[in-house]
Amino acid sequence: MIDNYRHKGLRRKLVEELVAKGIKDDKVLAAIGTIPRHYFLDNAFVEFAYSNKAFPIGADQTISHPYTVAFQSELLQVEKGHKVLEIGTGSGYQTCVLVELGAKVFSIERQKELYDKTRVLMRKMNVKAKFYYGDGYKGNEVFMPYDRIIVTCGAPFIPKDLLNQLAIGGRMVIPVGELDKQVMTLIVRTSEKEFTKKEYGDFRFVPMLEKKNR
Ligand code: SAH
């Protein structure tokens, strides 16, 4: 895996582009400026790793646009040491951004093929996060409550189990909607039984599907 001056230059440009599009959080921008996004794409797409596009990562799934990753990460407001549950490991790129922000990440992927492939890459990159093959609708009760929950696939509704696993004072960022578009939604748990909800515009994700897939 090579990260050369050309890649670094392309990354600087990408960060400038994200700033122009309204991303303000310096820590998020620094993380995106640090992580070699081309490691997460198949060789044929390396040239495009730093354009603001979504690309195939196998099993009919895509790595999210850098802008989407930046937007969700900014909204999440991760602090060092936070326990973060991620639904939809995919390529592992968003996972790495969260780890770079200081989070302890627990990431769930339902596609066995991607889970296996990404685990290999994460080991190579020495990324300290926990990866699970499972159904994100159920979250992961073992390590709850989570300070932050991020869903990186389009959810038709907000899963109850995820609300239950969110710490009081915790934030969940989840795109909610049907197949063609979803509304970026921020949920804050204000007490044991109370949640607030704010919406942040339309995005387009691959769908959040139920059950595991071999
Ligand atoms: N964060 C990823 C985005 C990948 S796309 C990245 O940076 O590359 C969304 C991912 O969510 C896909 O890999 C898809 O297989 C996964 N997914 C869809 N439904 C899921 C579910 N119920 N539980 C866990 N993962 C799911």
Side-chain angles (χ1 to χ4, degrees):
M1 290 192 290
I2 296 165
D3 189 33
N4 61 28
Y5 280 105
R6 193 173 136 256
H7 296 125
K8 287 179 182 135
L10 288 168
R11 254 189 336 265
R12 259 198 306 279
K13 268 209 186 132
L14 173 63
V15 167
E16 281 168 19
E17 220 182 286
L18 295 174
V19 170
K21 279 180 171 265
I23 302 296
K24 292 189 183 70
D25 189 319
D26 285 335
K27 288 189 210 143
V28 170
L29 292 166
I32 289 177
T34 303
I35 297 161
R37 191 168 187 264
H38 58 284
Y39 290 178
F40 300 82
L41 301 182
D42 291 333
N43 269 333
F45 294 105
V46 161
E47 292 294 315
F48 301 100
Y50 297 104
S51 61
N52 196 11
K53 290 193 179 126
F55 280 100
I57 51 176
D60 278 340
Q61 306 302 322
T62 51
I63 181 171
S64 301
H65 287 66
Y67 176 72
T68 305
V69 172
F71 193 91
Q72 285 196 285
S73 303
E74 185 167 79
L75 212 48
L76 206 59
Q77 294 182 5
V78 173
E79 286 165 28
K80 266 213 172 86
H82 269 166
K83 239 196 284 177
V84 180
L85 178 66
E86 178 188 34
I87 310 302
T89 312
S91 67
Y93 178 67
Q94 172 76 72
T95 316
C96 285
V97 170
L98 296 169
V99 169
E100 190 69 24
L101 291 170
K104 285 184 227 144
V105 185
F106 301 81
S107 188
I108 305 176
E109 173 56 54
R110 73 176 283 283
Q111 293 269 4
K112 185 74 165 63
E113 180 187 333
L114 279 177
Y115 165 80
D116 288 337
K117 185 173 162 187
T118 298
R119 281 248 302 206
V120 171
L121 177 67
M122 296 295 104
R123 210 168 296 138
K124 259 196 212 157
M125 289 177 66
N126 200 19
V127 176
K128 300 267 181 296
K130 295 252 190 288
F131 297 94
Y132 301 91
Y133 166 53
D135 178 3
Y137 278 94
K138 300 197 175 77
N140 184 343
E141 276 194 334
V142 181
F143 301 100
M144 67 179 273
Y146 299 95
D147 303 297
R148 302 289 185 259
I149 298 179
I150 179 171
V151 179
T152 71
C153 36
F157 57 87
I158 300 170
K160 270 237 164 59
D161 284 332
L162 298 187
L163 289 173
N164 282 335
Q165 292 173 23
L166 188 61
I168 293 171
R171 295 161 78 87
M172 166 156 60
V173 175
I174 175 168
V176 185
E178 295 307 324
L179 283 186
D180 53 334
K181 70 174 183 208
Q182 300 89 28
V183 179
M184 193 61 78
T185 307
L186 169 68
I187 305 285
V188 179
R189 185 169 199 173
T190 51
S191 72
E192 181 66 33
K193 292 215 162 71
E194 291 165 302
F195 298 84
T196 62
K197 178 173 139 181
K198 254 193 188 174
E199 296 182 339
Y200 291 85
D202 290 348
F203 285 79
R204 192 170 180 169
F205 287 79
V206 296
M208 183 171 183
L209 302 171
E210 293 193 52
K211 304 207 180 84
K212 298 190 279 188
N213 188 7
R214 268 225 157 249

